[in-house]
Amino acid sequence: MEIEMVKCANGIFAPAFEHDLPRLTKFKNGEMYTFSAKLTRNPAFHKKMFAFFKFCFDHWCANKAELDCMDEHSQFERFRKDLTILAGFYEQTVRLNGEVRTEAKSLSFANMEPDEFERCYKAMINAAIKHIFRGCNEITENRLLTFF
């Protein structure tokens, strides 16, 4: 499990993003864990990317009543991966049964150079405009433009 962390005062590390908080419940008090730390890309830009995902997800969910009974975290993760694929950042493999499997590329610092991350971000915006915000109202369109 990977969770982006930020070093706070007194040497304490805290989750960088609100969507990672539910994942921390897997860790039990009093048990010992080993963590590996690596510096990630510009946290403000990464945060902006996840704010963009959240904005897109909320807009997409607004008219989907059937999502009420689904786990929001799991649905958000699937949505994020699907938007990454629609933006053209994916890898394909062939399964044993001959079907092609498409997986979203990881956006982590270790797996994507900063210039590729910037291209991915721009492609995500274009994919969102094409597939999620087609025909949206002016207020939503103006909010979308703040991510440029």
Side-chain angles (χ1 to χ4, degrees):
M1 168 185 345
E2 285 188 22
I3 298 175
E4 302 289 332
M5 304 291 276
V6 175
K7 186 174 183 226
C8 302
N10 299 323
I12 296 172
F13 284 86
F17 305 105
E18 189 176 308
H19 66 266
D20 280 329
L21 288 173
R23 298 172 67 200
L24 291 176
T25 60
K26 293 181 180 185
F27 299 111
K28 307 260 187 280
N29 289 337
E31 291 185 349
M32 187 174 288
Y33 299 92
T34 301
F35 290 93
S36 174
K38 58 186 171 187
L39 185 62
T40 61
R41 74 182 81 256
N42 178 341
F45 192 40
H46 199 75
K47 189 174 185 176
K48 183 177 180 178
M49 174 71 101
F50 275 86
F52 172 72
F53 279 135
K54 181 78 171 110
F55 174 70
C56 293
F57 180 71
D58 289 345
H59 179 79
W60 179 75
C61 286
N63 298 319
K64 306 252 183 261
E66 67 272 11
L67 296 176
D68 288 340
C69 62
M70 295 185 179
D71 174 50
E72 185 174 341
H73 175 74
S74 297
Q75 189 60 51
F76 175 77
E77 288 300 308
R78 182 72 262 154
F79 175 86
R80 183 176 67 80
K81 289 175 182 178
D82 286 347
L83 186 56
T84 303
I85 291 167
L86 287 171
F89 288 82
Y90 58 86
E91 295 174 350
Q92 290 185 318
T93 55
V94 178
R95 300 180 72 146
L96 290 175
N97 64 4
E99 292 178 6
V100 176
R101 180 180 176 151
T102 304
E103 286 294 322
K105 279 191 173 182
S106 170
L107 302 178
S108 74
F109 185 74
N111 296 326
M112 190 178 281
E113 295 295 323
D115 61 325
E116 186 181 14
F117 186 78
E118 246 181 86
R119 285 194 317 274
C120 180
Y121 182 74
K122 290 175 184 174
M124 295 268 195
I125 291 172
N126 290 331
I129 289 169
K130 182 178 178 181
H131 297 282
I132 300 168
F133 294 100
R134 191 176 346 160
C136 68
N137 63 38
E138 190 175 332
I139 294 169
T140 302
E141 193 174 294
N142 288 336
R143 287 200 54 216
L144 178 62
L145 292 175
T146 65
F147 291 100
F148 284 91

